[in-house]
Amino acid sequence: MTGTIYDVIIIGGGQAALSAAYFLRRANLSYLLLDSETQPGGAWQHTWKSLSLFSPALWSSLPGVLMPGGQHYYPTRSETIQYLQEYEARYKFPIVRPVKVTAVQKQEDLFVLTTTAGDYVAKTVISATGIYSNPYTPDIPGSHTFQGTLLHAAQYISPEPFTGKRVAVVGEGNSGAQILAEISKVADTVWVTRKPPEFLPDDIDGKYLFDAATQQYEAQKQGKDYQRLSLGKIVVVPAVKEARERGVYENPLPPFDHFYEAGMGWNSGWKEPADAVIFCTGYKPALDHLKPLGIIQPDGRINTQGTRAIDTNGLWLMGYGSWTGFASATLIGVGRTARQTVAELTAFFGQPE
Ligand code: FAD
């Protein structure tokens, strides 16, 4: 226990946490960030090496500092990490690393945070722990009998270890399409998808998606009719385009029913051998630290109004996806929810906005 009672503790040190800190530094409140990473950059430090943003630099900025590169450049993973590193250094945010918050409990009006570096106490908490540390892998019978390598996209770094092997990539989203694109250059691949994969038109990138989603959001807010846009489709980044031209995405297989020693099996009797299976099957919010509050719903989320937790006074959640604010899982979108969150926090403390 440090003895200090902070007005606000932000759990996390990724883009969501930093954008909350950006607005908090102007409020007359004491605050601290606790991040389990050893270095700045949040989840970007763990994504695969070749990953680039699908939103151009001009539309990939946190509040206050423009991401360099302009409207036609897609920043790389390491440029994004550098941007986040410079962002937090510029504003000198009070971040303590590495500190993992393992439990958050409410004791009367205060939050007590159990961490790997002792207890911390705060009047309010913003949880911004992302999803990347909680990958979702479907439970498929026989996985323990499979002799090959099983991994999730969250553990995938680069294609070299798969050279000359037979690799199955599971999942029809952007991660699956991008990992398949590069692995198929060095390995024999199969793609396993729940439904036929859908590609966006080639000229649609992250900026278009953000604009379209903004229009959808505004129309929805004003009760107007709008054309629903599917954000789950695959963005045709250059690597995906090139792989499509090589025929990599043709004839995907339906989900398999079980594993056998040397690969995947279907109830029809069909079998496909594989040396490795990579699950690109998504993530769930990393909320284990909030379990003691008893507010996590069966779907793994928490009931919120905007970013404010409905069932625990003094708790906000940022960056997990649209359920914590429109486009809040993107660099450009999270600033808006951060501004709103800090406005609510200052009101909570009875300060003028
Ligand atoms: P994170 O970056 O995950 O940060 C959370 C931080 O909290 C981490 O540092 C973590 O270590 C820490 N933490 C977790 N649990 C605890 C705990 N219990 N105690 C203390 N600290 C904890 N976004 C865009 O804007 N444009 C793009 O083009 C884009 N492309 C993407 C492509 C892929 C393949 C993926 C996976 C994501 C992409 N994103 C993109 C989204 C973006 O990367 C993530 O949504 C973003 O990293 C989320 O930021 P965050 O701050 O919410 O979480």
Side-chain angles (χ1 to χ4, degrees), residues 10-18 34-37 39 41-48 51-56 59-60 84 97 99-103 128-133 174-175 178 206 283 286 288-289 318-320 328-334:
I10 304 174
I11 309 174
Q15 60 201 41
L18 298 187
L34 302 175
D35 184 23
S36 56
E37 293 295 333
Q39 302 287 330
W44 293 104
Q45 297 170 87
H46 302 288
T47 59
W48 59 93
L51 180 65
S52 292
L53 295 187
F54 53 72
S55 43
W59 293 278
S60 300
L84 293 173
R97 289 194 176 97
V99 178
K100 186 176 171 71
V101 177
T102 52
T129 48
I131 57 172
Y132 214 74
S133 59
N174 281 291
S175 301
Q178 288 188 26
Y283 302 82
D288 273 3
H289 56 293
M318 279 187 50
Y320 296 98
S328 67
T330 63
L331 284 155
I332 192 173
V334 73

Side-chain angles (χ1 to χ4, degrees), residues 43-49 77 131-137 151-158 175 179 278-283:
W44 293 104
Q45 297 170 87
H46 302 288
T47 59
W48 59 93
K49 270 194 198 161
R77 162 189 181 266
I131 57 172
Y132 214 74
S133 59
N134 195 14
Y136 167 72
T137 304
L151 72 161
H152 188 276
Q155 297 152 322
Y156 172 78
I157 302 293
S158 66
S175 301
I179 289 176
I278 306 177
F279 285 97
C280 304
T281 40
Y283 302 82

Side-chain angles (χ1 to χ4, degrees), residues 15 34 67 69 71 74 81 95 118 141 152 168 248 263 320-321 335:
Q15 60 201 41
L34 302 175
M67 171 85 82
Q71 57 177 315
Y74 296 83
I81 295 171
I95 308 183
H152 188 276
V248 168
Y320 296 98

